Amino acid sequence: ATPKSDKKILKELIEANYLRKFYIEKINTINTNQVFERERVDKENLFSGSRILVKRMPSVKDNLKLTTVFVEKELYFKEQIISLKLNHQNLHKTFSSLLNSSLIGYYFNHTSAQTNKGKKKPSIRHQELINLPFTRLSKNNIKKQIGRAHV
């Protein structure tokens, strides 16, 4: 990458290998005042605001389960990390906890087209995250679910 000008604009950058369940082990910096091979335009605010960051490639160290962290501050990342933004911002912490759980890890490991299928580098697909079995709960839906449980 070549500089756009002599002035450096340093931003915080996280690498997937420093992403842990619920926290980031190390934050580096990147000079964003340069011409990149693929210019990234942040149209959807992927690098700022409330969101969940997901490690794209689960490792054996993670038992091939999802690794996520909830963040609010501006952080840049490369393609090894997926950024999830929910419609209801107050649910980011809850969903991050659920995605880090053993139950979702087990479910994902057994339903994903990529993980645990003998591939050297399993990778999470966006659509697989979107299709995880969460239901919308409203007062009526909760009553229906409770009613079914007693039948």
Side-chain angles (χ1 to χ4, degrees):
T2 57
K4 291 180 183 177
S5 70
D6 292 337
K7 186 178 179 184
K8 287 185 175 183
I9 300 174
L10 296 178
K11 301 286 184 171
E12 291 183 316
L13 171 77
I14 58 170
E15 304 276 347
N17 54 330
Y18 294 119
L19 194 67
R20 303 287 181 256
K21 288 182 185 279
F22 303 109
Y23 72 97
I24 300 166
E25 189 173 63
K26 181 180 176 183
I27 298 177
N28 297 319
T29 57
I30 185 172
N31 178 12
T32 58
N33 191 24
Q34 54 186 313
V35 178
F36 294 97
E37 188 175 318
R38 289 185 302 159
E39 192 65 29
R40 234 183 215 185
V41 180
D42 194 12
K43 292 179 183 176
E44 299 179 24
N45 295 321
L46 293 175
F47 305 116
S48 61
S50 292
R51 63 210 183 280
I52 301 168
L53 301 181
V54 182
K55 186 189 292 187
R56 181 183 297 273
M57 297 175 71
S59 66
V60 175
K61 186 170 76 173
D62 303 323
N63 293 322
L64 298 175
K65 295 178 184 169
L66 298 177
T67 300
T68 73
V69 64
F70 164 75
V71 294
E72 293 181 297
K73 70 178 188 172
E74 183 179 44
L75 285 171
Y76 283 70
F77 50 87
K78 297 179 183 178
E79 59 275 351
Q80 312 100 333
I81 295 176
I82 298 169
S83 178
L84 295 177
K85 287 198 168 194
L86 304 177
N87 292 333
H88 301 286
Q89 289 192 12
N90 60 338
L91 294 177
H92 282 97
K93 288 180 183 178
T94 303
F95 270 81
S96 181
S97 296
L98 287 170
L99 291 172
N100 277 324
S101 73
S102 293
L103 177 63
I104 293 298
Y106 177 85
Y107 176 85
F108 197 84
N109 200 8
H110 286 80
T111 60
S112 170
Q114 295 291 307
T115 60
N116 209 17
K117 305 295 187 261
K119 297 187 181 286
K120 288 184 179 179
K121 293 190 175 183
S123 179
I124 296 170
R125 297 179 180 171
H126 291 91
Q127 199 61 36
E128 291 174 326
L129 290 170
I130 292 168
N131 291 332
L132 283 172
F134 295 113
T135 184
R136 284 191 169 159
L137 294 179
S138 65
K139 288 181 182 179
N140 291 334
N141 194 6
I142 292 171
K143 289 176 186 175
K144 288 178 188 175
Q145 296 293 334
I146 292 171
R148 287 185 191 147
H150 293 293
V151 174

